[in-house]
Amino acid sequence: MYRIDLLRHGETELSHTLRGSTDDALTDSGWQQMRHTTAQFLNNNSAQPWDVVFSSPLQRCALFADEIAGHLKLELILDRNLQEMHFGDWEGVSTQEIYAKQPDALARFWEMPTRFSPPNAETMQQFRQRILNALQQIQDSMQKNQAERAMVITHGGVIKLLKCLAFNQSLDDILKMSAELGQFNHFILHDNLSIEYVEPSA
C-alpha cells in the first residue's frame, strides 16, 4: 500500500467560477496558502515524508509542484489525468451566471451529477475513469521506484471523487464532500486501486 497526500491548489484568479480545465493562475494568496500548508506539514514530519511529487499540469498546480519538488530535490511527474473535471460550456462561468440563464440545468447537475452534465462537458463516469487511470499510473510509478509516500497536487473535484470512493458513497454525493483550497487530504492507495481516507491527525 502507498500513502498519497493530495494538496488542493490555492485560490486562483477564477476561483469564483467553474474553471475546470481552464488554465487560470494562482493569486498571491493562493501561493501563500499552499506554501503555508506545505511548510506546516513538513515541520510536523521530521524526516522528509515524500519520495516523489505528482501534479496536474494546469498552472495552478504545476507551478507550485515545480517549486516544492525543486526545493525537496524530488522527481516531479505531471499527469493530465489529474486535471479537474471539464465543465464544457460552463467553463470559466460563475454559478450565479449559470443560475440566471439555466437554473433547471444547474439544479439537475447539483442534485444528480451522474445523470446530468453541463453541455459539452466530461461526464461523471468519464471523470471517474480518468482518475482511476491516474491512480494506476501513480501506483505503477511508485512500485517501480520503490516509493512509499507521494505528494499529489491536484484539484477539488479530484479529491472529492476520491472521498466518494473511499467512503463507498455514490458519486451523486461528490458535491457534499469537502476539499478546502490549499489544504491536504490524506489517503492510502491499495494494490487493487481501492482507496482509504486517513484522518488528518493520523
Side-chain angles (χ1 to χ4, degrees), residues 16-19 87-110 118-119:
H16 60 290
T17 72
L18 295 177
R19 55 212 177 283
F87 291 109
D89 294 355
W90 292 359
E91 282 278 320
V93 183
S94 70
T95 52
Q96 291 87 346
E97 184 177 342
I98 298 166
Y99 180 75
K101 295 179 179 178
Q102 304 175 63
D104 292 342
L106 183 63
R108 287 194 296 269
F109 177 62
W110 280 160

Side-chain angles (χ1 to χ4, degrees), residues 97-165:
E97 184 177 342
I98 298 166
Y99 180 75
K101 295 179 179 178
Q102 304 175 63
D104 292 342
L106 183 63
R108 287 194 296 269
F109 177 62
W110 280 160
E111 291 166 12
M112 201 165 287
T114 60
R115 292 183 58 189
F116 298 98
S117 302
N120 300 309
E122 185 174 26
T123 67
M124 188 60 68
Q125 291 75 20
Q126 290 170 333
F127 183 47
R128 175 184 179 274
Q129 186 56 54
R130 177 160 64 79
I131 301 311
L132 289 177
N133 292 344
L135 290 181
Q136 184 68 67
Q137 290 166 335
I138 287 171
Q139 184 187 89
D140 290 347
S141 177
M142 293 181 74
Q143 188 175 46
K144 178 182 176 182
N145 295 294
Q146 297 183 312
E148 297 181 354
R149 191 163 188 168
M151 181 184 196
V152 182
I153 304 175
T154 186
H155 306 268
V158 176
I159 294 168
K160 292 176 181 182
L161 184 140
L162 291 181
K163 282 188 170 181
C164 283
L165 298 180

Side-chain angles (χ1 to χ4, degrees), residues 3 48-54 69 74-77 138 141-142 145 147-152:
R3 284 290 298 262
Q48 180 165 302
W50 303 300
D51 303 302
V52 60
V53 178
F54 296 91
L74 295 175
E75 180 184 11
L76 169 60
I77 299 173
I138 287 171
S141 177
M142 293 181 74
N145 295 294
E148 297 181 354
R149 191 163 188 168
M151 181 184 196
V152 182

